Amino acid sequence: MPETHLHVELISHTPLPEQVCALGAKLCYAKADVNALRERVSSQDQSAFLERIMQSGHMSVLEHASFTFAVEGVSRALLAQLTRHRIASFSVQSQRYVSLAENFNYIMPPAIKALGEEAAARYDAQMRQMQAWYAQWQQELGAKGESSNEDARFVLPNACETRLIVTMNTRELLHFFELRCCSRAQWEIRALATEMLRLCRKTAPVLFADAGPGCLRGACPEGTKSCGKATQIRRKFAQL
C-alpha cells in the first residue's frame, strides 16, 4: 500500500490547435471560403493574429481546440474539486467495479510528511486500518451475495488514490488555470493545474502564453485574500 505521486500526460489534443483557433477567428471576419482561409492560415505565422484575438476578448474561437490528459496519483479529494469544472469530460477509475482490497494506494499531504517520520508512520497506519476495514466489509457483504465493492467503499478515505482522463477545451483550460494555479488553491489541484499548463505551453505556446493565476495579467483577483506574492508567482510562471 504505497504512497503515490502525481503523474500527468497530455495524451491527445486537436491537431494544429493554434491554426484551428486562428481559422475559426478569421472565418468570422473574412469573405473568403474555408479552403482559401485554411491555405492562408497554414502558410503564415498566426501568432500575432491570435494574440490580438485573445486580447480583444474573442474567446469563443478557443473552444475549437481541446486537450486530453491522463492523470494518476491523485486523491479522491482532488477529484471532488476537479469535477466542479463542468465544461469538461471525465473518465474515472470506478471504486464500484475495481476492488481496492489488494491495491489500495494513498496520497500523503506534504504538511503531514513535513511533521516527520513518526507522523508519516502514524498516517500510514491509519491508511492500513481503513484498508483492513474495507476488506472486512467486502468479505462480509460478498458472503451475503451483496455488491461488496459498492458498499465497502464507504469506509475509504479521501486520501485514496484514483486515476482519470480529463478533456477540456482551450477556453475552459484558461479559466481552470486562472483559478487552480493560484497560490490560494488547494495544494494538490494546484500541482495538477501547473503541470497541465506546462504541457499545454509546450504544445500551443501562443494560446497559453499568458495562462496561469489571475495575478499574471494584473492585480490579484483575490483582493484582501491575496497571498501578496505576485512578483514571485509571475517569475515562476514565466519560467514554467
Side-chain angles (χ1 to χ4, degrees):
M1 188 180 61
E3 175 194 355
T4 59
H5 302 278
L6 174 67
H7 178 71
V8 187
E9 290 186 37
L10 177 58
I11 59 173
S12 181
H13 60 80
T14 301
L16 304 173
E18 294 182 341
Q19 288 190 23
V20 170
C21 294
L23 176 62
K26 285 186 179 294
L27 184 67
C28 296
Y29 306 111
K31 294 181 180 180
D33 61 30
V34 172
N35 287 333
L37 288 174
R38 288 179 65 185
E39 184 176 347
R40 190 183 308 168
V41 166
S42 62
S43 63
Q44 301 173 1
D45 184 3
Q46 300 301 313
S47 299
F49 174 70
L50 276 175
E51 289 169 359
R52 291 196 303 272
I53 287 295
M54 294 172 72
Q55 288 170 3
S56 73
H58 191 175
M59 305 298 282
S60 63
V61 299
L62 305 185
E63 297 173 18
H64 294 303
S66 296
F67 296 77
T68 299
F69 304 85
V71 181
E72 296 181 298
V74 294
S75 69
R76 301 291 292 198
L78 178 142
L79 180 64
Q81 300 175 77
L82 184 61
T83 52
R84 292 175 66 186
H85 294 270
R86 296 187 296 275
I87 307 177
S89 299
F90 303 95
S91 297
V92 183
Q93 183 183 56
S94 172
Q95 288 185 340
R96 183 183 185 191
Y97 294 106
V98 178
S99 173
L100 301 179
E102 302 297 333
N103 189 31
F104 172 60
N105 300 326
Y106 64 88
I107 310 302
M108 180 181 293
I112 291 179
K113 181 177 288 188
L115 294 175
E117 292 184 3
E118 186 278 331
R122 182 154 37 98
Y123 184 85
D124 177 72
Q126 291 166 348
M127 295 297 108
R128 284 188 278 110
Q129 178 62 73
M130 280 181 270
Q131 182 186 22
W133 288 334
Y134 169 84
Q136 180 182 355
W137 283 117
Q138 193 182 53
Q139 183 176 10
E140 289 187 32
L141 290 165
K144 293 182 176 293
E146 302 291 340
S147 178
S148 58
N149 293 345
E150 181 174 284
D151 291 335
R153 63 181 168 165
F154 275 70
V155 300
L156 293 173
N158 272 338
C160 186
E161 185 226 6
T162 192
R163 53 192 61 136
L164 60 110
I165 291 176
V166 55
T167 300
M168 297 185 191
N169 67 51
T170 302
R171 188 179 191 180
E172 177 60 15
L173 280 167
L174 292 175
H175 175 65
F176 175 70
F177 295 147
E178 181 175 356
L179 298 179
R180 301 303 188 171
C181 289
C182 174
S183 64
R184 285 184 50 79
Q186 185 259 354
W187 64 269
E188 190 180 17
I189 200 167
R190 184 171 69 245
L192 171 63
T194 302
E195 180 60 13
M196 288 169 62
L197 173 53
R198 186 186 69 80
L199 294 170
C200 284
R201 277 192 182 170
K202 290 176 61 177
T203 303
V206 177
L207 294 178
F208 296 98
D210 296 326
C215 63
L216 299 187
R217 297 169 296 281
C220 173
E222 293 291 319
T224 58
K225 295 182 179 180
S226 171
C227 69
K229 300 178 180 178
T231 300
Q232 298 95 305
I233 291 171
R234 288 167 186 160
R235 186 181 304 118
K236 171 186 174 180
F237 282 91
Q239 298 171 351
L240 191 65

